[in-house]
Amino acid sequence: MSVLRRVGMTLGLPVILLAAWWFASAGSTSFFFPPLSEILDSLVEEWFGPRLAADVWPSLYRLAAGYALAVVVSLALGVLIGTSRTVRALTEPVFEFFRAIPPPVLVPIFILLFGLGDGMKIVVIAFGCMWPILLNTVEGVRAVDEVLSDTGRVYGLRGWSRLRRLVLPSASPQIFAGLRQGLSVAIILMVISELFAAENGLGYAVVQAQRSFAIPETWAGMLMLGLLGFLLSLLFRLVESRQLAWYHGLRRAQRSS
């Protein structure tokens, strides 16, 4: 019953909004606001048809590559900075400087450095979404309980064993918070990076449809982006709930006590 309730709470509001949109636009004759039925027809025919391989999969590849690169770099740097006051003091001004620069502003520079191919787009995504992951990792590592840290030393936890068994599990709730924020930023930057000298991708296809005044295709592309974000968020929540099952169980036990 709890599973059905979760599904109902997750899908209830989107279904209601789509139903309201369907009936409100049913008799629309506006060129810029076509009926939802036309938009859904375009979504099925175009975005789940030829554009799936031509535009959706390339976008997902860039998103996955950029996000994975950001996760690896951010976790490595975050653990290093969080465990060393010296490294943190040296790197904090530099990171604060680069964090304040909007990634889209750096796109022309990345084009000069990495060309017009997928490499540039992957770097834009990685650069933009690494900051929430990095900062949350640093704060999570710094916030490791001192009692747990002292207990680990008593039991001889050193080096990699201490990192794997103590530091990362303790910091994992905050790390996952950064990963969730980074995923949202990655989706946005995936679209932005495809607006510059691209030949395929979701962002490129939506802009091309808009410039061609293919209004149903434009709306369908935006629906596709929303659907992609929803599915990725749902997948992330499933992974997070599995990896942090011990943490959520502990929170429930504390609330019930």
Side-chain angles (χ1 to χ4, degrees), residues 33-249:
F33 300 99
L36 180 57
S37 58
E38 291 185 19
I39 298 173
L40 294 179
D41 288 341
S42 179
L43 179 68
V44 174
E45 293 174 4
E46 293 289 332
W47 292 99
F48 288 101
R51 290 192 182 276
L52 185 64
D55 294 305
V56 177
W57 290 122
S59 290
L60 288 176
Y61 161 71
R62 294 162 189 152
L63 175 67
Y67 186 69
L69 178 61
V71 169
V72 172
V73 173
S74 300
L75 289 181
L77 288 176
V79 171
L80 178 62
I81 296 169
T83 54
S84 173
R85 293 183 180 179
T86 303
V87 176
R88 184 165 64 251
L90 290 172
T91 57
E92 189 171 23
V94 177
F95 285 150
E96 289 297 328
F97 173 80
F98 282 107
R99 186 170 72 93
I101 301 176
V105 175
L106 297 175
V107 169
I109 298 176
F110 288 148
I111 290 176
L112 292 176
L113 294 175
F114 301 102
L116 300 175
D118 288 346
M120 178 273 291
K121 300 172 180 61
I122 291 171
V123 171
V124 170
I125 295 170
F127 179 83
C129 71
M130 70 175 286
W131 302 111
I133 304 173
L134 173 62
L135 296 176
N136 276 276
T137 301
V138 171
E139 293 305 317
V141 171
R142 289 180 60 187
V144 173
D145 188 87
E146 293 185 2
V147 175
L148 289 176
S149 185
D150 292 339
T151 303
R153 292 192 190 96
V154 170
Y155 282 95
L157 289 178
R158 296 289 187 276
W160 170 249
S161 181
R162 180 178 182 275
L163 178 65
R164 184 170 63 89
R165 296 179 180 274
L166 177 62
V167 175
L168 289 180
S170 180
S172 58
Q174 195 151 355
I175 291 174
F176 269 93
L179 291 173
R180 188 186 305 112
Q181 296 171 19
L183 181 60
S184 300
V185 175
I187 295 173
I188 296 171
L189 292 177
M190 175 196 74
V191 177
I192 292 176
S193 67
E194 292 172 348
L195 302 181
F196 298 89
E199 296 181 351
N200 55 26
L202 278 162
Y204 167 81
V206 170
V207 170
Q208 289 299 110
Q210 180 264 330
R211 289 174 179 173
S212 303
F213 292 96
I215 303 302
E217 288 80 359
T218 304
W219 281 100
M222 289 188 284
L223 277 181
M224 189 68 187
L225 284 169
L227 181 61
L228 176 64
F230 172 76
L231 292 177
L232 289 176
S233 175
L234 186 61
L235 178 61
F236 184 89
R237 288 175 60 183
L238 291 174
V239 174
E240 181 185 29
S241 63
R242 177 170 182 151
Q243 295 298 319
L244 296 182
W246 63 272
Y247 175 73
H248 296 305

